[in-house]
Amino acid sequence: MPSTSSPGKPTPPSAPSEPYASVYRRSIEDPEGFWLEAAAAIDWTEPPTRALDDAAAPIYRWFPGARLNTSVNCLDRHVAAGQGERTAIIYDSAVLGTVEHISYADLTDRVSRFAGALVSLGVGRGDRVVIYLPMTPEAHVAMLACARIGAVHSVVFGGFAAPELAARIDDAKPAAIVTSSGGIEPNRRVEYLPAVAEAVALAQHRVGAVVAKHRDGFEHSLDSLDRMRADVGKDAGNAPEADTRWVDWDEAMAEAEPAAAVDVAATDPLYILYTSGTTGSPKGVVRDHGGHAVALAWTMANIYDVGPGQTMFTASDVGWVVGHSYIVYAPLLVGATTVLYEGKPVGTPDAGAFWRVAAQHGVRSLFTAPTALRAIRKVDPDGALARGHDLSELQTLFAAGERLDPETQGWIGDLLGVPVVDNWWQTETGWPIGANPVGLEALPIKTGSCTRPTPGYAVEILDGRGQPVESGVEGNICLRLPLPPGTLTTLWGNDQRFIDSYLSAFEGYYATGDSGLVDEEGYLFVMGRTDDVINVAGHRLSTGALEQALAAHPAVAECAVIGLADPLKGQRASGYVVLKSGVEVEGETALEELLAELRAIVRTSVGAVADFKQVAVVDALPKTRSGKILRKTMRQMADGEEYVVPSTIEDRSVLDALVPTLRTGP
């Protein structure tokens, strides 16, 4: 069916489109030559002689026979080139009010010593290490130390409950866990040690060692651990003395001998990252060393336009894929400076936090989630807090993680006066599927679109039968195989599950699970998950299009639309909106007028076919910690179905507060 979206008009182009077009064409027609050329940006101990190994298709491998060390590419080679004093990490803790600059030489020393500590605990090449840390430099150190010795890290978002951590321990079977006293939120401290102790007791797999970094101000420490371990072990039914060594980070570092870098195959696994919100056995995305390094280095130059000595601020968390790629690995691969921000977009101390960080540290590229931008807009709709900072160094704002609605995109673009690039990707892909390649060529921007498919990704829109659709027609967004380097190579320990989950719906394609369209100019519009498409009296409607219409109302800060069961029409659309800070709706009459305006704007934008009648004003929307709105959970609750609250939920009380509205209807 034709899209119900309203693609925005393009801004004037900054240059002819031939460079992007020719590069994209070459990446699809000659991936072998294209990626071997890109591989020149990486230092290899055994350079690749060919790019793609398709012997086990549909499971592919990149750069077979090549060898390298990712840690050396992120650290040692820059020091050897005389750049040891360049800043690698700016650790800006808004919750502590501190800033620390860590040079490449200092970071290399820390990483090599912690790698030595891991080796002394029996960790070696191919062993797994679970990392459960807050946004502190120890996260970088632990991840790069694993890469240095060929161990496979699996970062679990700090604050996950013990049963979720235990499930990942049993799947990854780590030799060690690296953790900390806890994480700091604006109004509370999250204790990590009790969760780790409980998870170790709950897991069937026995963990050899736990290394814990002490932080002041927390109730629990290694000194108080014995009684705590006994209590949780008794509750879990396991012996508390489960042969797990508990080691203090600082003591281990003081005693460790620096570890030399281990040569690994390009096809060896670098890390496992479990997708959020899984049920049953966790789904561990596997990333390799060689393809990962090549792809990320390419994106820094060609998408994010950040190079040696320049600063990138990715406002995410190391526990998510954006943090893995663009807080830790990609900036360091190219010798840039990465900002490690421990804070929130609002509340640490206010909605000007991002602008303060960008100005103070001379940020060239800022990468955040649309949810964060909407949170800032809700509190500071006029952008007054941005105007007090010198943002002249900022060249581009990137957004990913949740659909960037045109209203938010226009608002932040006008406020900052820089291009706002919506880039779309997934945990599984590790880097953008669609983006404006501003480092290669700044293409015209269309609001509501992530611009064009990124070189390397053969994007096609297919109908339910697997047939390509015409331009402007919405369908299933699929990626023709093989996927480019840096994407998932398989699921940990389960090739068949990888095939069944991603490669079986459409033969010869990776199914993204998202719906969208490509317009007549080749621009990609991602409208939402395929299960977010609702069917109203036989008309398939994208919830993304309905949300786009609601977000256009000047009073709306953010919104969500879900499809509820309807005995007559199959489904009906139901909307929930959060108002901007300062918007007052006093009395029933004023509220009804606002709701009528919201219904009218959807009718005008989408059409009467949407039959949009239900809409409510709510205080907040339930989200995961990475900013994704829990639409599926909301729909299940509203329809009276059984549901499981995802372990990744940011604030359970928001969902609880919605129950009366969801179950009675707006």
Side-chain angles (χ1 to χ4, degrees), residues 384-401:
L385 294 172
R387 297 190 184 97
H389 297 285
D390 179 4
L391 299 174
S392 57
E393 295 292 324
L394 184 64
Q395 299 299 304
T396 315
L397 175 74
F398 295 89

Side-chain angles (χ1 to χ4, degrees), residues 620-624 627-631 633-634 649-652 654-656 658 662:
L621 294 171
K623 302 171 187 173
T624 65
K628 291 181 170 60
I629 297 172
L630 297 174
R631 294 173 180 85
T633 306
M634 292 171 63
I649 191 169
E650 182 178 45
D651 186 349
R652 173 64 187 260
V654 173
L655 194 61
D656 294 338
L658 271 180
L662 288 170

